[in-house]
Amino acid sequence: MITITTTDALAEFCSEAANHPFVTVDTEFLRERTYFSKLCMLQLAMPGTDDSNAVLVDPLADGLSLEPLYELFRNTDVVKVFHAARQDLEIFWVDAGLFPKPLFDTQVAAMVCGFGEQVGYETLVRKIARQPLDKSSRFTDWSRRPLTDAQKRYALADVTHLRQIYEYLAAELDRSGRAHWVAEELQVLTDPATYDTRPEEAWHRIKTRSQSPRFLGIVRELAAFRESYAQDNNVPRNRVFKDDALVEIASTKPVTHADLSASRLLQREARRGAIADGIMAAVKRGMELPSDQLPREDKSRQRPQVNPALADLLRVLLKAKSDNSGVAAKLIASASDLDDIASGMRDLPALSGWRREVFGNDALRLCDGRVALAVKGQTVTLVDL
């Protein structure tokens, strides 16, 4: 097993990889104690049938720069293959402001090719590569050095089997004509907005019972402070203070630090110093916001009344379309999507792009009363009216 620890060695590997049609990529990282993921290991493999074309890259090695890898990522002649790429891509976007192009995600492709919802790498290795996979090192501390041989074998297997999986799925997509379906899904993964966490929008994630504009204004200010503090100090937002403490503070509206210390839910570390000062300032801002600047419940986003019978029919239709196409039902439309369609909403992903081909067109025909569902044996069919 080759472990690259210098920029020159990484550049040599990436230069050779640029001569191949694809390269498989995976990462090992830690995020339990940080806001941003800490990259601890990088695995790369060129086409081949053994480990000779695969390497481990140690990003924690002194002086190692990932710029040769990023140059390979910019090379549009080489497909960069990942499995469940979202967290990997976030690392590269935060570090270098780029996405690998062109990109192929085997988890997305597998869902389109009939392997079920959110299919795991281990399942694909077993079903496509016909190999066992040792996952005993999955939850080890990848920041500790030296790495054990077991860790290295585990990490390398995440890119060596991926080569065969990619070649199989790419051939299936070509055969079925569904490559553009995967391309549509990957547009979301390579959209910077997917990874852009704006502090002023963080309050939307907080579950609250009250819709009072003043209360929501304080929640917004507290959530913005927490998000900014977490980003600036690279700590998880819940290490600053948890959601339940945020809601409690927004309800009690502490005026002094003594009031803040009376909180039942606030962690001890947040009752003093910069966090406590930030909390008090956020509450004050929320209390002083003019009425016209307070957040209010967005009634335009409220769903109209759902037709429950129509929603049930759409569920039957979705199941039939999923079975017929071999595409995971949740990839086509969620339960919430079906309720939205049954309530009359039309600006939905389930009714656009490849989903419209598979499900959306017939769903709209069903809603308009132009078709009915019929059952013949084990098969659900559409009948024109």
Side-chain angles (χ1 to χ4, degrees), residues 362-384:
D362 285 334
L364 292 175
R365 293 171 66 207
L366 182 64
C367 291
D368 294 341
R370 289 182 284 142
V371 295
L373 298 179
V375 178
K376 186 175 182 180
Q378 299 293 318
T379 304
V380 175
T381 60
L382 290 170
V383 178
D384 290 323

Side-chain angles (χ1 to χ4, degrees), residues 225-245:
F225 161 69
R226 181 178 68 170
E227 202 73 23
S228 294
Y229 185 94
Q231 291 177 354
D232 292 344
N233 293 275
N234 196 23
V235 295
R237 64 176 66 89
N238 281 343
R239 292 282 184 94
V240 184
F241 49 86
K242 298 182 184 297
D243 286 359
D244 56 359

Side-chain angles (χ1 to χ4, degrees), residues 79-85 100 102-110 113 162 165-171 173 179 182 186:
V79 178
K80 273 63 74 171
V81 182
F82 293 76
H83 180 82
L103 172 72
F104 190 97
D105 189 322
T106 55
Q107 185 177 71
V108 174
C113 291
L162 193 57
I165 292 169
Y166 164 68
E167 291 173 333
Y168 176 88
L169 292 174
L173 292 173
V182 174
L186 296 184

